[in-house]
Amino acid sequence: MTDMNAYRANWNYPTAIKAGAGRIKELPDHCKALGMKNPLLITDPGLANLPVVTDAVASCKAAGLACAVFSNIKGNPTGQNVMDGVAAFKAGQHDGVIAFGGGSGLDAAKAVALMVGQTGELWDYEDVGDNYLRVNVDAMAPVVAVPTTAGTGSEVGRVSVITDDTAHIKRLIFHARMVPAVVILDPEVTTGLPAKLTAATGMDALSHNLEAYCSPFYHPMATGVALEGMRLVKEYLPRAVKNGQDVEARMQMLVASTMGATAFQRGLGAMHALAHPLGALYDAHHGMLNAILMPYVLKANQSVIEERITALARYLNLPNPSFEAFLNWVLALREEVGIPHALSAIGIDDAQAQKVGEMAVADPSHGTNPIPFTAAQYSEIFKRAVVGLL
Ligand SMILES: [Zn+2]
């Protein structure tokens, strides 16, 4: 029996993090400490009626907080979802946000908390140029974040990924102050996640650490965080997929996920540059897309990242550490946790290959890929991933 007390900790990097089993109990206290009397809990519709959410709402009410739920959010949240959330916040005269859920719920909640204090339109705050200077920071609502998946790490991210369903693209809403004031990492709220989603979100966490690690951007602290994040995925993702009730594995995967998003202040790369357009065009699961794309992108980047991937293979204690050893480990991990080898397995064909390539070059993650691929090169990587030709 694991002693989960060994995993109980309070961290202030990159924000205030309350880690440990059962710490969801502290939710009302953290809301009050941020001055909330009437928080709006924003979550994914699939979670809204589950005990994990209804218990949290009940605990807030028992502690004297008024608390309502908003859950009208798509799997890839849209601009309309965000503005509906802003309307609900204003109508209920709320004074703070509890961001509760997977990436969709957290991203939507963070965007709502930003937008309740702004006079402009949502896309005025897209991560383009110095748009972030337009944000009225003092008017943003305070946020407590509770991730229920271990993947996006959105609980410590400075952006929300929101789909513009008019233009059919994903846009990033950015402000450094979008990092929630308090994060609760409680593995017990993630034990209900099915194995398939545990695998897909866990591979997303791996992709964040990996792409951040391979980025050419100068940020040695992020490099260190990424290395250890990947080691945690290696040790604990197979366990979390095999047995969803393994609280120790769930705890370590939550931390690996938070580390991935901490590390990707260093930037992401071609996996995400491709996953973002594919998510917008096919409404496919973000983590699943990154998981399938991972080996194809590694191969395409090989000439530039070979040395640092060999160092990574040494850190992960892989036999005969090399680029090949790491690639083979990724392939074996994907198989072990049930990720298909080709995009065709999730219903994606190459009919829009040219468009995907053009959208990938325009994606913000493209800028920190180790090799500045052209649209044609992205199309080629995509086509290989569709048919499974590594
Ligand atoms: Zn991701």
Side-chain angles (χ1 to χ4, degrees):
M1 195 62 192
T2 309
D3 176 12
M4 287 306 295
N5 278 327
Y7 291 94
R8 190 183 165 90
N10 297 323
W11 299 319
N12 291 301
Y13 167 76
T15 186
I17 299 178
K18 313 297 171 184
R23 298 197 69 178
I24 189 65
K25 283 198 292 285
E26 299 170 16
L27 176 63
D29 296 339
H30 296 306
C31 290
K32 286 180 182 174
L34 291 169
M36 298 183 203
K37 291 190 175 71
N38 180 15
L40 180 64
L41 187 151
I42 299 181
T43 191
D44 317 88
L47 284 173
N49 296 312
L50 295 182
V52 71
V53 166
T54 53
D55 289 355
V57 172
S59 77
C60 285
K61 287 184 173 166
L65 294 165
C67 184
V69 174
F70 175 81
S71 64
N72 186 14
I73 294 165
K74 288 190 177 178
N76 288 304
T78 65
Q80 188 60 50
N81 293 157
V82 172
M83 295 322 292
D84 289 347
V86 170
F89 185 98
K90 289 183 173 167
Q93 296 181 305
H94 294 283
D95 53 12
V97 168
I98 300 170
F100 203 113
S104 326
L106 297 181
D107 276 9
K110 285 160 54 188
V112 169
L114 175 109
M115 286 306 294
V116 294
Q118 315 308 322
T119 50
E121 303 287 322
L122 178 60
W123 307 132
D124 292 346
Y125 308 98
E126 187 183 2
D127 187 15
V128 174
D130 56 8
N131 278 358
Y132 66 92
L133 293 173
R134 297 171 173 176
V135 172
N136 179 356
V137 176
D138 294 336
M140 289 168 68
V143 179
V144 177
V146 184
T148 60
T149 67
T152 68
S154 180
E155 65 276 6
V156 294
R158 303 175 299 172
V159 301
S160 287
V161 184
I162 305 295
T163 300
D164 178 343
D165 44 7
T166 310
H168 295 285
I169 55 171
K170 289 195 166 194
R171 300 189 191 274
L172 302 181
I173 306 299
F174 167 85
H175 196 279
R177 290 284 290 276
M178 285 176 81
V179 179
V182 176
V183 174
I184 299 174
L185 295 184
D186 184 344
E188 290 175 359
V189 305
T190 73
T191 52
L193 194 70
K196 195 178 166 194
L197 274 174
T198 302
T201 51
M203 291 299 288
D204 191 30
L206 176 61
S207 74
H208 296 154
N209 283 294
L210 177 56
E211 295 217 283
Y213 178 74
C214 292
S215 154
F217 192 65
Y218 180 70
H219 200 325
M221 279 188 278
T223 312
V225 169
L227 270 173
E228 177 65 0
M230 286 186 275
R231 190 189 69 80
L232 292 179
V233 172
K234 175 171 178 277
E235 296 294 318
Y236 295 101
L237 180 58
R239 273 175 54 176
V241 171
K242 207 169 290 161
N243 173 13
Q245 300 300 316
D246 184 335
V247 180
E248 184 186 26
R250 293 290 196 183
M251 179 77 239
Q252 295 285 44
M253 280 307 300
L254 267 177
V255 177
S257 163
T258 298
M259 292 174 83
T262 303
F264 79 57
Q265 293 198 12
R266 196 170 187 237
L268 290 167
M271 290 169 215
H272 279 80
L274 284 165
H276 289 149
L278 293 175
L281 291 171
Y282 298 92
D283 208 23
H285 187 272
H286 173 77
M288 181 61 81
L289 289 168
N290 281 310
I292 297 174
L293 289 163
M294 189 175 290
Y296 306 96
V297 170
L298 277 168
K299 264 283 207 206
N301 280 326
Q302 181 174 357
S303 61
V304 173
I305 60 175
E306 191 139 17
E307 209 171 304
R308 72 193 87 149
I309 292 292
T310 301
L312 167 61
R314 278 197 295 273
Y315 186 72
L316 295 180
N317 237 341
L318 298 176
N320 307 313
S322 63
F323 179 87
E324 291 301 324
F326 181 75
L327 184 66
N328 288 333
W329 170 72
V330 167
L331 292 170
L333 175 69
R334 281 198 327 171
E335 201 174 314
E336 184 177 5
V337 301
I339 303 288
H341 185 59
L343 291 171
S344 59
I346 58 166
I348 294 178
D349 62 28
D350 64 4
Q352 300 193 75
Q354 194 185 337
K355 186 172 186 188
V356 169
E358 286 161 8
M359 288 172 78
V361 171
D363 189 89
S365 301
H366 160 67
T368 42
N369 192 66
I371 299 174
F373 293 135
T374 61
Q377 285 173 307
Y378 275 114
S379 298
E380 188 57 35
I381 298 166
F382 169 62
K383 283 197 248 175
R384 282 174 164 269
V386 167
V387 294
L389 183 67
L390 190 57

